């Protein structure tokens, strides 16, 4: 009887923990992340001396967005290049394996 109550209590605590985790996950949505980036950019522009509503502030905000976009584009290009290099490596390894198998079909790697 005591073990049943203890098990029920543990399950209830785990359920509350899962609810808390899902609630936190809902709070950190992409929309909130975008707002966070805008607030950070606004603080950066204010630290540069630009006042909200001025052309300098608007230009600074656009420059911050442009900087972030270029960084993201650079990251995507590096990922694409890395992926292409890996694919080329696989192709070259397969060609080398085929050439070895053409020379010696009795190799263990050729018995597929």
């Amino acid at each position: 009887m005591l073990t049943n109550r203890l098990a029920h209590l543990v399950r209830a605590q785990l359920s509350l923990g899962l609810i808390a985790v899902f609630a936190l996950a809902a709070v950190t949505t992409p929309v909130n992340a975008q707002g966070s980036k805008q607030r950070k950019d606004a603080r950066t522009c204010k630290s540069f001396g630009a006042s909200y509503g001025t052309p300098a502030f608007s230009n600074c905000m656009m420059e911050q967005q442009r900087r972030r976009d270029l960084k993201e584009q650079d990251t995507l290009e590096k990922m694409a290049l890395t992926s292409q290099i890996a694919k080329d490596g696989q192709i070259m390894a397969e060609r080398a394996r085929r050439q070895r198998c053409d020379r010696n079909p009795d190799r263990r790697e050729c018995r597929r």
Side-chain angles (χ1 to χ4, degrees), residues 95-107 110:
R95 275 188 200 149
R97 187 191 71 75
R98 269 193 253 127
Q99 288 174 351
R100 287 190 302 271
C101 290
D102 288 345
R103 284 192 305 262
N104 184 1
D106 296 331
R107 293 176 65 96
C110 303

Side-chain angles (χ1 to χ4, degrees), residues 5 11 15 18 23 28 32-33 39 42 57 61 68 75 78 82 91 97 103 106 111:
R5 284 188 179 178
R11 275 184 268 158
S15 297
L18 288 174
T28 56
N32 290 337
R39 286 189 297 276
F57 186 83
M61 290 292 283
R68 190 176 12 267
T75 300
K78 286 178 182 177
T82 301
I91 290 170
R97 187 191 71 75
R103 284 192 305 262
D106 296 331
R111 296 181 193 150

Side-chain angles (χ1 to χ4, degrees), residues 60-93:
C60 179
M61 290 292 283
M62 288 190 313
E63 185 61 31
Q64 297 303 312
Q65 181 62 47
R66 183 173 125 1
R67 178 188 52 79
R68 190 176 12 267
D69 290 345
L70 288 174
K71 184 178 178 183
E72 184 178 350
Q73 181 181 4
D74 185 52
T75 300
L76 291 173
E77 287 173 355
K78 286 178 182 177
M79 288 173 52
L81 183 60
T82 301
S83 178
Q84 186 61 46
I85 289 170
K87 183 178 175 184
D88 291 346
Q90 288 175 336
I91 290 170
M92 289 173 60

